């Protein structure tokens, strides 16, 4: 039985109700609870309540509003939060549930939504409203866009692009239908798996402006987020350049070829002239589009519906044309010489013949002579003259003869292949029922400069070709990998829905459904287009990239119905619209990255106009897009943005897989149709496509992402977003700590893990900051460093002071560039706190094995006996814990990190064999730049009866095995010197014994301390 939850608000005064005053209508007249107002929803109403089951009173879920003489009935089943007129309301009331209104809206409502359609990213709409100077401020409305208008159509418009109209036919012709289907299927699988991962991430919380960048950064951390966000920004920017280049190619090749500024004097210069035209017109288009975006995104918004209509009409015309071609194929003849395709631009007389017959009429009475051309089996019919005089036929040459023979004479020397083969005309668009699909099944890759040939036609032995001959040549070398890189941009654009989540009524539902449906729709269109192109268009026309064989028509346009101009004009405007969308979305993405303040040098791009329009980001976007324009080749720009988009999609899949495997408590996406294996499969496909399409571009993209990652890691602001990388680090740390617990470390792996004990004065300043400097020089950034201090007092009252002390130590560590941890313990007595710290510091195998503390300054003159008592107690505790103890004396005289020693010695007095630790410490110091130029000297003591020469050799051999370079010095001491030394040490031990008695230690403790001091005194 469904449960019901009611939220009841009982106001004490009428004016407590929002929007209700003395002049407000009486809303309590129809309510069943007196002065109560009930807020309900369809989901919370059970069937039993609606029927009054169980003896409960059927609640009144409606009330009447009286205002301005109109009466409206509001129901929990109708979302009537916004004012609607009476007629529209009663029409809406015909639907029981709100979902039915979305699926079966009024025609006028549907047209109104289409008129208000926008493809702008989130945030652009607010900028548009802010630009309307003088207009009244619009009241803030809750997001009302549904799945169809808010996600499906924007994704559809972003996915369909220039590649479909300009390159897909060429891809099919080169790769064949089977490999073409493979290319399209793999690319669509990549985006579908990425969309599944993106849906899981997008439904795990609100995605603000920035879309994919926010998803990745909040899931993988600021380092990955910044790196991939910038890659996605660069990909979007280069996509804008690619769309502009596509629009210019359509303009100069298919719409207005005479508009070209640069023209080639010969066949060799055609490519260079075209590139220069692309650069000039592309720069002009980029400037105009950037100015349009700068002036106001509202103008871009108004054009969105037109661009969307262009895309849909163009695609529909292709399908209709393919069906019509089965009954009435379009008339596009292709001239062939043998099996070689002839460029239709090169012969103006349109005679696909070597020669034609000129019919010569004798002069008539008025003295005129008549000539009529009639090629044999040609397309020109003879002129019928009534009762002509006897005529003679004269054979004359065509334009093609002159091109191959360089002469108009019939006896001229011609090309061998030209003489051995005849001209034929074939249908460029044989139609759906022609059986052309069997010819186009297999791939036929060409090298640059190779002639486009028809493999099913036999010809005489092939001869070398010249670029001066009127053939259709391949402009680039084609391969499977190249076609993958060129086609992949046509499946990008899946982030359009997530970029606008703030405008959606239910983003948690709309983003997955709309994005996946858009991908399935476009995938179906692409796959069916591959089959239709292969079945309807001849192979030589498919491999003819620019349509030279069909007199310069757009190849996909030759299939369109009713005219090729439908595709030409539609693709031009849709491509311009896609370029505008890229120039609108990319600056906002850069602005979102800059406002996060994770990349310091990008901060300036977070600012803009008063309404938030990213002016500086738009300027940088235009400059980067200009670099793509200067490349001037659609086939060279496409693989660049392929890399950046694949990098972005790879990390979206990685983010979803990590969050799923780590099982983070916050990972609770509403979209449940995902699995970590699908994310890993998508990530694998992305990585494979990167190296398949262009391995060197893939390496460059990874290097750029790695450089950005390291820059953010070292110089960026630290952000805590609860990302998955932190969870991965915790899991890795736990695993490593458990591995370290398996046994004690081997002597080869031993390194000093430091616990540095620092003392703070009353003003919370560190008394001996050079201890931390010494620790950083000794560690050289390796191993564990814990910086600890003890605050006197009660923890309940001194917690704030402990936090302040930790912050002080952290700032000092940042200043000295020491990587480590801070620990502050609050205790009544400092020596108890130090004891607790030595016992409890570290975790598992990451425990300190060396304690570093300062020598008590002027302890003899100190009036406070606690200074040396604490020192002695620390020595005892360290000894009891079997830890090494380093006590630098006169630490203030040690060099700082900014004062490297240019010369000098590090002297080691090695008296007791300690396993080599005394040798290791100066060696570690020498690894730091401050001590690098210092030499090591090892001093040892020999008595008169010892062989000092042999001791020196033995010590040198010992150092050799330790692989430590040092000078060895043996100091010989007489017995008298040793006796004096012994006397001095005995006297010092007596003084220390007196010190211990003053500390009131027990006899056993005194004996332990004396033995400890005695053994420590034998050291250096």
């Amino acid at each position: 039985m469904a449960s019901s939850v009611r939220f009841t608000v009982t106001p004490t005064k009428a004016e407590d109700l929002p929007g209700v005053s003395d002049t407000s209508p009486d809303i309590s007249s129809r309510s069943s609870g007196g002065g109560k107002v009930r807020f309900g929803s369809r989901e919370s109403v059970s069937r039993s309540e609606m029927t009054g089951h169980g003896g409960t009173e059927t609640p009144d879920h409606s009330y009447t509003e009286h205002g301005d003489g109109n009466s409206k009935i509001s129901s929990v089943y109708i979302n009537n939060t916004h004012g609607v007129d009476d007629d529209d309301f009663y029409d809406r009331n015909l639907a029981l549930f709100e979902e039915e209104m979305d699926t079966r809206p009024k025609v006028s409502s549907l047209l109104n939504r289409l008129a208000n359609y926008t493809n702008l990213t989130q945030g652009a709409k607010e900028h548009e409203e802010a630009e309307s100077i003088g207009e009244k401020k619009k009241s803030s409305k809750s997001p009302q866009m549904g799945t169809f208008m808010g996600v499906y159509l924007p994704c559809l418009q972003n996915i369909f692009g220039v590649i479909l109209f300009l390159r897909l036919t060429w891809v099919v012709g080169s790769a064949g239908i089977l490999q073409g289907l493979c290319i399209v299927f793999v690319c669509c699988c990549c985006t579908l798996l990425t969309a599944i991962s993106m849906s899981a991430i997008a439904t795990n919380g609100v995605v603000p402006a920035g879309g994919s960048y926010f998803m990745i950064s909040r899931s993988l951390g600021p380092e990955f987020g910044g790196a991939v966000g910038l890659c996605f920004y660069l990909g979007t920017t280069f996509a804008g350049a690619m769309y502009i280049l596509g629009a210019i190619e359509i303009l100069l090749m298919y719409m207005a070829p005479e508009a070209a500024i640069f023209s080639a004097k010969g066949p060799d210069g055609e490519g260079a002239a075209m590139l220069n035209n692309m650069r000039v017109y592309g720069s002009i288009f980029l400037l105009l589009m950037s100015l349009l975006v700068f002036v106001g995104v509202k103008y871009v918004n108004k054009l969105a519906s037109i661009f969307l209509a262009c895309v849909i009409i163009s695609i529909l015309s292709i399908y209709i044309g393919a069906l019509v071609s089965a009954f009435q194929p379009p008339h596009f003849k292709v001239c062939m010489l043998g099996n070689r395709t002839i460029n239709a631009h090169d012969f103006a007389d349109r005679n696909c013949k070597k020669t034609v017959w000129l019919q010569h009429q004798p002069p008539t009475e008025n003295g005129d002579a008549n000539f009529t051309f009639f090629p044999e089996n040609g397309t020109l019919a003879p002129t019928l003259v009534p009762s002509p005089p006897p005529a003679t036929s004269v054979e004359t040459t065509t334009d093609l003869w002159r091109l191959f023979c360089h002469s108009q004479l019939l006896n001229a020397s011609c090309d061998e292949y030209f003489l051995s083969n005849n001209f034929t005309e074939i249908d460029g668009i044989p139609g759906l029922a022609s059986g052309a699909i069997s010819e186009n099944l297999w791939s036929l890759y060409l090298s640059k400069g190779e002639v486009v040939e028809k493999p099913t036609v036999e010809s005489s032995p092939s001869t070398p070709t010249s670029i001066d001959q009127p053939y259709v040549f391949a402009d680039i070398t084609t391969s499977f990998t190249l076609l993958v890189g060129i086609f992949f941009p046509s499946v990008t654009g899946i982030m359009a829905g997530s970029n606008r989540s703030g405008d959606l009524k239910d983003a948690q539902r709309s983003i997955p459904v709309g994005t996946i449906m858009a991908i399935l729709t476009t995938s179906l269109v692409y796959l069916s287009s591959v089959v239709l192109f292969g079945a309807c268009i001849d192979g030589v026309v498919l491999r003819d990239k620019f349509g030279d064989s069909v007199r310069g028509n757009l190849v996909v346009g030759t299939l369109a119905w009713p005219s090729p101009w439908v595709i030409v004009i539609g693709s031009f405007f849709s491509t311009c619209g896609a370029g505008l969308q890229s120039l609108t979305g990319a600056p906002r993405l850069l602005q979102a990255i800059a406002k996060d303040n994770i990349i310091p040098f990008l901060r300036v791009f977070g600012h803009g106009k008063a309404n938030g329009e990213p002016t500086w980001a738009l300027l940088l976007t235009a400059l980067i897009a200009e670099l793509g324009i200067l490349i001037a080749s659609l086939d060279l720009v496409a693989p660049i943005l392929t890399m950046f988009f694949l990098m972005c999609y790879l990390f979206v899949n990685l983010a979803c897989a990590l969050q799923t495997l780590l099982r983070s408590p916050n990972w609770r996406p509403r979209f449940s149709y995902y699995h970590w294996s699908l994310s890993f499969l998508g990530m694998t496909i992305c990585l494979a496509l990167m190296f398949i399409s262009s391995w060197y571009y893939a390496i460059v993209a990874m290097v750029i992402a790695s450089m950005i990652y390291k820059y953010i890691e070292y110089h960026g602001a630290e952000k805590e977003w609860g990302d998955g990388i932190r969870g991965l680090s915790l899991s890795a740390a736990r695993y490593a700590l458990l591995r370290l617990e398996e046994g004690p470390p081997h002597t080869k792996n031993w390194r000093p893990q430091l616990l540095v004990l620092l003392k703070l004065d009353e003003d919370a300043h560190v008394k001996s900051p050079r201890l931390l400097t010494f620790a950083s020089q000794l560690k050289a950034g390796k191993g564990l460093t814990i910086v600890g201090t003890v605050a006197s007092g009660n923890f309940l009252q001194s917690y704030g002071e402990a936090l302040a002390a930790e912050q002080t130590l952290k700032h000092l560590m940042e200043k000295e560039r020491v990587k480590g941890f801070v620990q502050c313990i609050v205790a009544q007595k400092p020596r108890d706190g130090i004891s607790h710290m030595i016992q409890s510091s570290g975790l598992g195998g990451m425990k300190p094995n060396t304690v570093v503390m300062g020598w008590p300054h002027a302890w003899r003159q100190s009036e406070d006996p606690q200074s040396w008592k604490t020192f002695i107690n620390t020595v005892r505790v360290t000894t009891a814990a079997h830890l090494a103890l380093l006590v630098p004396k006169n630490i203030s005289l040690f060099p700082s990190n900014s004062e490297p020693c240019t010369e000098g010695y590090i002297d080691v007095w090695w008296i007791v064999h300690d396993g080599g630790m005394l040798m290791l410490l100066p060696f570690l110091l020498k690894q730091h730049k401050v001590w690098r130029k210092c030499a090591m000297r090892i001093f040892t003591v020999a008595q008169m009866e010892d062989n000092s020469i042999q001791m020196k050799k033995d010590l040198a051999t010992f150092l050799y095995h330790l692989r430590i370079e040092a000078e060895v010095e043996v100091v010989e001491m007489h017995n008298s010197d040793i006796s004096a030394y012994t006397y001095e040490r005995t006297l010092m031990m007596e003084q220390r014994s007196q010190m211990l008695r003053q500390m009131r230690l027990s006899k056993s403790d005194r004996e332990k301390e004396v033995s400890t001091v005695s053994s420590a005194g034998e050291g250096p």
Side-chain angles (χ1 to χ4, degrees), residues 35 43 54 69 102 171 178 232 251 329 381 395 440 474 561 599 601 620 643 706 800 858 903 955 974 983 992-993:
E43 289 82 358
D102 293 334
V171 170
L178 297 181
F232 188 58
L251 176 67
E395 186 178 11
N440 296 324
W561 182 89
I599 304 178
F601 69 84
L620 180 64
M643 290 304 117
S706 301
E903 59 182 4
L955 186 55
H974 298 278
Y983 174 74
R992 291 175 183 175
S993 299

Side-chain angles (χ1 to χ4, degrees), residues 523-754:
S523 300
L524 181 62
V525 170
Y526 284 136
L527 292 171
S528 59
S529 296
V530 170
V531 177
L532 287 178
F533 291 159
C536 298
I537 306 176
D538 194 88
V540 292
V541 181
L542 288 174
R543 287 184 289 277
D544 182 7
K545 183 190 294 185
F546 302 112
D548 292 328
S549 61
V550 287
R551 302 197 179 280
N553 282 289
L554 183 62
V555 174
V556 69
T558 59
L559 186 62
W561 182 89
S563 169
W565 284 100
V566 176
I567 288 288
V568 172
I569 296 175
S571 61
F572 176 76
F573 283 108
S574 65
T575 304
C576 291
L580 279 174
Q581 298 301 331
S582 297
L583 293 179
T584 305
R588 283 164 178 79
L589 178 60
L590 181 62
Q591 187 182 41
I593 299 173
K595 284 185 175 180
D596 265 346
N597 199 23
I598 59 174
I599 304 178
F601 69 84
L602 290 181
R603 290 173 186 165
V604 65
F605 299 108
H607 307 291
K609 293 194 293 187
N611 61 349
E613 189 73 14
T615 307
W616 292 106
L618 176 61
L619 179 61
L620 180 64
T621 302
L623 292 176
I624 297 176
E626 179 63 20
L627 296 178
I629 297 294
L630 294 178
I631 296 175
S633 174
L634 188 69
D635 303 321
L636 296 180
V637 175
I640 296 177
L641 62 101
T642 294
M643 290 304 117
F644 290 125
F645 277 119
L646 281 173
M647 183 78 70
C648 176
Y649 296 165
L650 185 149
F651 282 103
V652 169
N653 287 295
L654 176 62
C656 180
L658 276 182
Q659 297 278 29
T660 307
L661 290 176
L662 294 175
R663 299 180 180 178
S664 305
N666 189 45
W667 180 245
R668 302 185 302 275
R670 290 186 180 272
F671 180 77
S672 57
Y673 302 101
Y674 71 95
H675 193 265
W676 65 266
S677 59
L678 295 178
S679 299
F680 267 110
L681 179 60
M683 185 176 64
T684 305
I685 293 177
C686 289
L687 191 62
L689 287 177
M690 288 178 67
F691 283 93
I692 285 175
S693 58
S694 178
W695 63 268
Y696 44 89
Y697 278 160
I699 293 175
V700 171
M702 288 182 173
V703 168
I704 292 175
S706 301
M707 291 172 61
I708 299 172
Y709 178 92
K710 299 306 290 185
Y711 178 84
I712 298 175
E713 185 179 12
Y714 285 108
H715 299 286
E718 293 184 1
K719 300 285 184 179
E720 177 53 52
W721 290 329
D723 50 85
I725 291 297
R726 183 174 178 82
L728 179 63
S729 301
L730 289 173
S731 298
R734 171 183 170 274
Y735 176 77
L737 286 172
L738 292 175
R739 288 289 303 272
L740 289 175
E741 279 289 319
E742 293 180 358
H746 194 272
T747 53
K748 292 181 179 179
N749 297 324
W750 191 93
R751 65 168 62 246
Q753 314 283 7
L754 302 182

Side-chain angles (χ1 to χ4, degrees), residues 264-272 340-341 343 346 403-404 406 415 448-451 463-475 548:
K265 295 181 180 180
D268 295 336
E270 289 182 358
R340 296 179 179 179
T341 310
N343 190 331
D346 291 335
L403 290 172
F404 280 99
H406 305 288
D415 180 70
K448 183 177 181 180
E450 194 173 346
V451 179
T463 58
T465 58
S466 171
I467 197 172
D468 296 330
Q469 294 173 336
Y471 294 125
V472 177
F473 294 95
D475 63 330
D548 292 328

Side-chain angles (χ1 to χ4, degrees), residues 375-455:
E376 183 181 359
N377 298 326
T379 58
L380 295 178
T383 301
L384 299 178
V385 180
S387 301
T392 58
S393 298
V394 178
E395 186 178 11
T396 184
T397 58
T398 61
D399 287 347
L400 288 175
W401 179 284
R402 288 188 287 273
L403 290 172
F404 280 99
C405 302
H406 305 288
S407 174
Q408 297 182 2
L409 302 176
L410 287 171
N411 58 355
S413 60
C414 299
D415 180 70
E416 180 182 353
Y417 188 86
F418 174 77
L419 295 175
S420 304
N421 295 274
N422 294 320
F423 283 104
T424 56
E425 282 189 332
I426 62 173
D427 289 327
I429 313 295
L432 191 61
S434 64
I437 189 171
S438 60
E439 177 187 344
N440 296 324
L441 277 177
W442 312 108
S443 62
L444 185 60
Y445 298 112
L446 301 176
S447 301
K448 183 177 181 180
E450 194 173 346
V451 179
V452 176
E453 297 180 346
K454 189 176 180 65

Side-chain angles (χ1 to χ4, degrees), residues 44 89 272 439 676 841 843 898 947 978:
S44 65
F89 168 72
E439 177 187 344
W676 65 266
S841 293
L843 180 65
S898 59
N947 187 347
I978 295 177

Side-chain angles (χ1 to χ4, degrees), residues 36-324:
K36 297 182 180 180
V37 180
R38 291 174 180 166
F39 298 88
S41 64
R42 176 174 59 84
E43 289 82 358
S44 65
V45 180
S46 65
R47 184 176 298 273
S48 62
E49 287 182 329
M50 295 171 63
T51 58
H53 180 71
T56 59
E57 180 184 356
T58 303
D60 187 3
H61 295 288
S62 63
Y63 61 87
T64 304
E65 293 183 0
H66 304 278
D68 300 331
N70 295 325
S71 176
K72 297 179 183 179
I73 301 176
S74 177
S75 171
V76 296
Y77 304 114
I78 305 294
N79 183 8
N80 197 30
T81 56
H82 300 287
V84 293
D85 56 18
D86 294 340
D87 295 336
D88 186 48
F89 168 72
Y90 286 116
D91 287 336
R92 288 165 58 111
N93 207 13
L94 293 176
L96 179 61
F97 296 121
E98 194 173 4
E99 287 79 355
E100 295 185 14
M101 291 181 237
D102 293 334
T103 56
R104 294 187 298 177
K106 290 176 58 180
V107 176
S108 59
S109 175
L110 177 62
L111 294 177
N112 183 53
R113 291 186 184 183
L114 290 173
N116 295 327
Y117 167 75
T118 174
N119 193 27
L120 298 178
T121 57
Q122 182 178 346
K125 186 177 180 181
E126 290 76 2
H127 296 163
E128 173 192 346
E129 294 177 357
E131 287 170 358
S132 302
I133 303 175
E135 296 182 4
K136 294 182 179 180
K137 291 187 176 179
K138 301 179 181 179
S139 59
S140 60
K141 295 182 180 180
S142 59
Q144 288 296 312
M145 300 194 72
T147 303
F148 185 76
M149 298 296 297
V151 180
Y152 181 77
L153 288 183
C155 284
L156 215 63
Q157 184 176 351
N158 278 269
I159 294 174
F160 285 132
V162 63
I163 302 296
L164 169 64
F165 303 116
L166 293 184
R167 293 292 182 268
L168 187 56
T169 54
W170 175 65
V171 170
V172 175
S174 300
I177 294 177
L178 297 181
Q179 292 189 20
L181 289 174
C182 179
I183 292 173
V184 174
F185 181 75
V186 170
C187 293
C188 292
C189 282
C190 175
T191 54
L192 180 62
L193 294 174
T194 304
I196 293 174
S197 300
M198 183 196 72
S199 300
I201 299 174
T203 56
N204 194 48
V206 179
V207 182
S212 57
Y213 160 68
F214 271 87
M215 285 192 299
I216 299 170
S217 61
R218 270 53 177 180
S219 299
L220 291 180
E223 293 87 1
F224 277 111
V228 182
L230 280 182
C231 286
F232 188 58
Y233 162 74
L234 293 174
T236 307
T237 304
F238 275 102
M242 184 191 73
Y243 291 133
I244 293 174
L245 289 175
I248 301 303
E249 183 176 315
I250 296 172
L251 176 67
L252 295 182
M253 286 196 168
Y254 310 113
M255 296 181 68
E258 64 277 1
I261 299 175
F262 301 94
S263 58
K265 295 181 180 180
D268 295 336
E270 289 182 358
M274 186 61 191
L275 292 180
N276 289 330
N277 287 319
M278 299 279 280
R279 293 185 181 105
V280 173
Y281 277 99
S283 300
I284 295 173
F285 268 54
L286 176 62
L287 179 61
L288 294 177
M289 290 183 178
S290 301
L291 289 176
L292 181 60
V293 174
F294 175 77
V295 168
V297 294
K298 60 182 178 181
Y299 300 107
V300 182
N301 186 20
K302 291 178 180 179
L303 296 173
S305 301
I306 300 176
F307 298 145
L308 176 64
C310 291
V311 173
I312 296 176
I313 292 173
S314 299
I315 294 174
L316 289 178
S317 70
I318 295 175
Y319 280 97
I320 296 174
L323 295 177
V324 170

